[in-house]
Amino acid sequence: MDDPLVNDDARALVADLTVRRETVATAESLTAGLLAATLAGVPGASVVLRGGLVTYTVDAKVELAGVAPELLDDVGPVAEPTARALAVGAMHRCGTTWGVGLTGVAGPEPHGGHPVGTVFLGLAGPVATDVVELTLHGSRWDIRLAAVQAAISELRLFIARS
């Protein structure tokens, strides 16, 4: 049986990275490793997926991804600069070409002044970083799944622009 999380975009991302001989790592708060697990579901992903950091707590963001405590004190765990720092941290800590950081609010309650469905997706590469803010809807699971799919699609676009 095929992995139910894997779709054509995930397969294409792994294929693109394989052809380019590049690697990726994730630092995931909102999705708690779901992005890395989705990529790992693609046959051949071990060539490109170097690792994933589950940074569900503020402490883990600091200890695992190297996010500056001062940044978290200033902007909080759900913020554009935090997503950027997570992506850069994943890339540096795992020694990859590309890094992805995901943070947000899956619910059921708002967090830190952000409504449920607010997601910040950080992307880091050899020469640039970017952050995409998403507004997603549905249950906790729906929001987490949509964040993973958006991360895969946005990373493909980010790589193509780089």
Side-chain angles (χ1 to χ4, degrees):
M1 180 170 150
D2 288 337
D3 189 320
L5 297 176
V6 173
N7 62 21
D8 288 343
D9 276 349
R11 286 186 205 58
L13 175 59
V14 169
D16 292 347
L17 290 171
T18 300
V19 167
R20 295 169 64 109
R21 297 186 177 164
E22 295 176 341
T23 54
V24 65
T26 66
E28 302 177 63
S29 179
L30 167 81
T31 49
L34 193 57
L35 173 57
T38 299
L39 295 177
V42 177
S46 61
V47 173
V48 300
L49 178 62
R50 296 242 333 150
L53 311 170
V54 176
T55 58
Y56 211 65
T57 65
V58 171
D59 292 358
K61 288 170 180 59
V62 173
E63 294 168 14
L64 298 177
V67 177
E70 302 80 23
L71 174 69
L72 292 164
D73 288 343
D74 187 38
V75 300
V78 179
E80 180 178 320
T82 305
R84 186 181 313 275
L86 287 169
V88 170
M91 183 176 71
H92 288 162
R93 296 285 171 112
C94 294
T96 59
T97 317
W98 306 99
V100 180
L102 277 162
T103 187
V105 184
E109 301 296 324
H111 179 75
H114 297 285
V116 172
T118 301
V119 175
F120 293 97
L121 164 62
L123 303 164
V127 297
T129 62
D130 194 13
V131 177
V132 177
E133 183 176 356
L134 306 167
T135 302
L136 304 174
H137 304 281
S139 68
R140 284 179 59 82
W141 183 245
D142 293 337
I143 290 168
R144 293 173 68 226
L145 284 176
V148 166
Q149 294 309 316
I152 291 168
S153 297
E154 291 293 334
L155 181 57
R156 288 191 70 211
L157 292 171
F158 185 65
I159 291 169
R161 290 191 307 262
S162 296

